[in-house]
Amino acid sequence: MFKEFRALNDITFQVRRGDVFGLVGTNGSGKSTMLKIIAGVLEPSSGTCTVRGSIAPLIELGAGFDPELTARENIYLNGSLLGYSRDFIDSHFDEIVDFAELRDFLDMPLKNYSSGMVARIAFSIATATEPDLLIVDETLSVGDFLFQQKCEERIQSLIDDSHVTVMLVSHDTSQVERMCDRCAWIEKGHLRMVGPADEVCSAYRSLGD
Amino acid sequence: MTARSQARTPDSGQVRRSTLFILQQLVTRDFKLKYRRSILGVVWSVLNPLLMMCVLTLVFTNMFRFPIENYPVYLILGMVLFNLMSDATGGAMGSIIQNAPLIKKVRIQKAVFPIEKVCFSVVNFGLSLIAVAIVMIFFRCAPTVSLVALPLLLLYVIMFSVGIGLALSALSVFFRDVMHLWDVLIMAWNYLTPIFWPQDLSAFLTGISNQWIAHALVIVEKFNPMYHYVVYFRDICMYATIPGLRENIICLGFALVSLAIGVIIFRKTQHKFILYI
């Protein structure tokens, strides 16, 4: 029925506990597919992917948000989908709201929020817990620069204090270099390079020269 | 912290608790969305079956006559129970497709979605029981102790609906045609179930001139689970009798068969959903 298309082909890499691992590549190269497989949303048609530990997938912020519901209601809904218990959300509710800086709009339906405001709420719910593995897909690019900084700080503190493993997909190579130790470059479904973040990023950048 | 340990060792108790929390959140969402921006809100859940019953009573006491005592009570009982099944299965059918954005982004037990729709229908059924109570009080048709069997009946119908719902939700992912076909089937099923006509076939059949149709109808009713459930419902609500062991086994049997088929179809196909939604 469909013409077969391999989004990812023969890719092998390892991410160690506590690593901050970057993933770069041009559009349509399979970065998000990779993350979906890691998050367990997609099954690989061949090969294996082993994850040891819990995952906070930020594959797309605010999955399960309902535009008709208020922010308060959405925090509980989204939290439940991320596997939080009611007690956990109750006790972290203020923390989540304060981090998003949206206390004044808590009882407004989400459809009246700007996309940046939605991203704020979503990011603060998703990082309310300390996962073993945090997957971040382009999510930081939505908010304003202040919030982007705040998110980066939050991720950095998860890395430094809780030794969370992070996988970061970004088109911002300077951000990848700044935050990541190691990095993989995927191009058209093939692995081009794995290694220290600065080396991979500079090789990737040279693609444009 | 809870989320952390949970994913590492999926201890069944914790997973069950978090799945229950998801179910509860989704039902709450559906409930809020259903009544948002309507003035009467949740009152509609009671009012709707009442009004439907009025219309049907008008039609079937003036245009077609059936020799049934307390006809409005008889009608609303059949209607409400059949609607539970048809709402539950119809809602469950589209649930996987509707929640495609979620299924693509979060790792989640996919059966949550069809089951949630069944739960939502059960909540609505609970509310429509208020309408049933109103009608029963109005016609002085007092309930008796036999009502204690209601949870049992509810369990059968829920299991039955979950089974069909799981199967439909899975099949409709691969063949959207199922959704169009089901509407027609539900309508046919509605007419084949004694909702507005007498459940006592022997009294009814003398009026049917074609012998073949009469015989066919008897056989069809034997294998129509909704026939058994509706008769069961009226027995405990109207006729003050608790159905015997035989009838209970039949009802449970239909429920179990449906549930087994639904679970098998869903399990076999669920890992392929993401490629089709």
Side-chain angles (χ1 to χ4, degrees), chain A residues 27-40:
Chain A
N27 293 133
S29 289
K31 302 184 296 292
S32 294
T33 308
M34 191 74 238
L35 290 189
K36 279 183 181 174
I37 289 173
I38 294 169

Side-chain angles (χ1 to χ4, degrees), chain A residues 41 43 68 73 86 132, chain B residues 8 24 32 36 104 271:
Chain A
V41 175
E43 282 175 37
E68 298 287 332
E73 291 163 339
R86 175 179 290 281
D132 295 327
Chain B
R8 186 177 292 144
Q24 188 207 338
K32 282 178 177 155
R36 189 142 289 185
K104 283 181 188 165
H271 64 280

Side-chain angles (χ1 to χ4, degrees), chain B residues 112-249:
Chain B
V112 158
F113 300 110
I115 291 173
E116 181 265 322
K117 290 295 176 192
V118 177
C119 293
F120 181 52
S121 309
V122 173
V123 172
N124 278 314
F125 173 76
L127 287 168
S128 60
L129 283 184
I130 299 173
V132 174
I134 292 172
V135 176
M136 286 176 75
I137 290 167
F138 189 80
F139 288 93
R140 293 173 214 278
C141 183
T144 60
V145 261
S146 56
L147 218 55
V148 292
L150 183 62
L152 210 55
L153 170 68
L154 213 52
L155 181 74
Y156 300 149
V157 178
I158 291 172
M159 280 163 65
F160 182 72
S161 306
V162 167
I164 296 186
L166 283 175
L168 286 175
S169 67
L171 291 175
S172 62
V173 169
F174 306 103
F175 316 101
R176 307 281 148 115
D177 321 58
V178 172
M179 305 177 91
H180 305 281
L181 197 61
W182 188 245
D183 290 342
V184 182
L185 282 177
I186 274 286
M187 193 186 68
W189 202 350
N190 188 50
Y191 284 113
L192 275 176
T193 306
I195 291 166
F196 53 83
W197 46 270
Q199 61 188 32
D200 181 9
L201 282 172
S202 58
F204 183 45
L205 289 178
T206 48
I208 297 179
S209 51
N210 190 327
Q211 278 297 304
W212 286 105
I213 293 183
H215 282 299
L217 209 54
V218 172
I219 294 170
V220 165
E221 290 315 349
K222 264 196 192 143
F223 293 99
N224 177 2
M226 287 318 290
Y227 170 81
H228 294 273
Y229 295 143
V230 164
V231 169
Y232 196 116
F233 195 35
R234 287 183 185 131
D235 276 352
I236 58 176
C237 291
M238 273 182 95
Y239 302 129
T241 42
I242 296 183
L245 186 63
R246 196 183 117 87
E247 197 50 34
N248 273 292
I249 289 173

